[in-house]
Amino acid sequence: MLTIGAYTNISKIKEYISLEFEKITPKALIPTYTIAKKGDIDFLYYEIDDDVLAQNYNFFFSDALKLHATSALTNLIMDFIRFEIVKEILEIHYQKYASIERIKILEMTRAFFYENENNEDPNAFNYSYRKEIMDRLMDFFEDSNEFLLEGFVLFRLKDYRGKLEMVVRHIVSEYETQKEYKEFLRLLKYFVDVQEMKEEIIHIIGLKEGGFKIYDKDKNDITERCKEEYKQDFSDKEINYDDLLVSALITIAPRQIVIHHYEAIQNKPLIETISSIFQGKVTLCPKCEFCLNSNEIN
């Protein structure tokens, strides 16, 4: 008999175990189960009829059953339990965030793990930890046929919880950075909206080496002029050309911005930033006479 218990989520455990046990052959050896509650704990009892077991006896079947249970519980922990732990970490240590913000951080954490699910480098920050969880489950089942999910997580995966806390700190830092960036963009947008327009239209053309040039409404190249103005405002800083472009556009405050050969601009988030600040004023030119006559991209 194999006994699996949990304070919560017993139906989800049954779902994962059932999916894994369906792989057992011959099918007659798929265990039947009963559910019973003892105090606050729900238990799943898996067993095989003695007559069926006698007819299909295999010395390795007990180990195979535990291997299937190990695989199912590993998948459960990776798919579900670890995010329950993350949720708990957020509720305990990050109460300053509103519930909607904690949900956003949880989803960012989920995305972080799924994007790096197959990282097998133990020294990597985003190491998946799947192998360790499976090994510890196998070690557990070598000594016992009775498993309590919460007890296993609490005592056998204590270091994994510490890893999850580190990941959450990292994601919270990213979330704060994103918040600050969005607030910065909001302020820039407000500044642009209240500023007096100095140019009707500004043209930006992407260069084949990945940069850009800036032109006024008469198609005059004003890139160098913008550089000089940038140097005056930021004399102690080396020129950052992405900052230069944003700064120039904010200073000029054009009614319309047309970006030509935008596919050549290597920093694609820069285009998104400009579009966010100058909402409704940015056009990505598919191809026009200025594009065709320009030697910058050819």
Side-chain angles (χ1 to χ4, degrees):
M1 179 182 286
L2 181 65
T3 302
I4 308 244
Y7 285 92
T8 59
N9 301 310
I10 198 68
S11 61
K12 192 164 284 290
I13 293 173
K14 180 174 74 68
E15 175 189 335
Y16 274 77
I17 294 282
S18 297
L19 283 172
E20 191 63 33
F21 280 2
E22 282 297 320
K23 300 174 184 177
I24 293 174
T25 54
K27 296 300 183 184
L29 286 172
I30 296 176
T32 59
Y33 70 88
T34 55
I35 299 179
K37 194 175 188 71
K38 291 185 179 179
D40 295 328
I41 305 175
D42 292 307
F43 286 97
L44 284 162
Y45 298 98
Y46 290 95
E47 57 185 341
I48 302 169
D49 183 87
D50 289 341
D51 292 336
V52 173
L53 190 58
Q55 293 170 16
N56 299 273
Y57 187 73
N58 184 325
F59 285 106
F60 300 102
F61 178 71
S62 177
D63 289 341
L65 189 64
K66 290 177 180 180
L67 184 60
H68 282 291
T70 292
S71 179
L73 290 167
T74 300
N75 290 335
L76 174 72
I77 290 169
M78 299 301 289
D79 292 348
F80 183 73
I81 299 301
R82 61 174 164 174
F83 300 115
E84 291 291 290
I85 297 172
V86 168
K87 192 175 175 182
E88 181 185 326
I89 291 168
L90 290 169
E91 289 172 352
I92 293 172
H93 299 293
Y94 297 92
Q95 294 180 3
K96 70 175 185 176
Y97 294 105
S99 60
I100 190 70
E101 291 184 290
R102 291 201 295 270
I103 290 171
K104 174 64 176 175
I105 295 169
L106 175 62
E107 291 308 308
M108 288 175 65
T109 306
R110 197 187 302 275
F112 171 83
F113 276 118
Y114 287 159
E115 287 168 7
N116 303 283
E117 199 63 70
N118 298 318
N119 192 326
E120 296 300 329
D121 178 4
N123 298 316
F125 181 65
N126 53 11
Y127 176 52
S128 75
Y129 218 83
R130 178 181 287 272
K131 184 178 182 301
E132 280 77 2
I133 292 172
M134 182 168 278
D135 288 347
R136 290 177 196 187
L137 281 164
M138 291 178 70
D139 288 345
F140 179 89
F141 282 122
E142 280 186 9
D143 300 326
S144 177
N145 289 341
E146 297 183 358
F147 176 86
L148 180 64
L149 178 63
E150 288 82 3
F152 177 81
V153 171
L154 181 63
F155 295 109
R156 301 272 182 135
L157 296 182
K158 190 179 293 185
D159 58 335
Y160 184 52
R161 183 186 178 94
K163 172 184 170 58
L164 291 175
E165 288 177 349
M166 287 176 55
V167 171
V168 170
R169 282 197 296 272
H170 169 72
I171 298 299
V172 167
S173 177
E174 279 197 353
Y175 176 72
E176 285 293 341
T177 300
Q178 288 183 14
K179 271 182 66 176
E180 290 171 4
Y181 179 67
K182 287 178 181 176
E183 177 61 17
F184 177 63
L185 289 184
R186 190 188 69 79
L187 290 173
L188 288 180
K189 183 179 181 305
Y190 173 77
F191 183 73
V192 167
D193 289 343
V194 300
Q195 183 149 306
E196 183 181 352
M197 182 192 72
K198 297 186 178 67
E199 290 280 351
E200 183 66 30
I201 186 169
I202 285 292
H203 297 272
I204 300 165
I205 188 162
L207 307 181
K208 57 187 174 183
E209 64 268 21
F212 54 83
K213 283 194 174 183
I214 308 169
Y215 294 81
D216 64 14
K217 62 182 176 60
D218 298 316
K219 311 291 177 62
N220 297 313
D221 186 345
I222 60 170
T223 310
E224 289 303 318
R225 190 187 84 194
C226 291
K227 281 183 187 179
E228 292 304 316
E229 291 174 354
Y230 182 87
K231 287 178 183 177
Q232 290 175 14
D233 292 335
F234 304 97
S235 56
D236 58 338
K237 289 179 63 177
E238 183 179 342
I239 290 182
N240 178 308
Y241 285 91
D242 293 347
D243 290 348
L244 161 67
L245 178 57
V246 173
S247 175
L249 291 173
I250 289 172
T251 301
I252 297 169
R255 187 185 300 278
Q256 184 183 4
I257 299 168
V258 180
I259 304 179
H260 307 267
H261 293 306
Y262 56 88
E263 70 283 351
I265 298 175
Q266 291 177 350
N267 185 3
K268 295 302 184 284
L270 176 62
I271 298 175
E272 295 175 13
T273 297
I274 293 169
S275 297
S276 296
I277 297 171
F278 297 89
Q279 285 185 7
K281 299 179 180 179
V282 179
T283 301
L284 300 181
C285 176
K287 190 164 286 188
C288 67
E289 187 177 348
F290 187 40
C291 294
L292 296 172
N293 292 335
S294 172
N295 294 320
E296 305 293 354
I297 196 69
N298 301 317

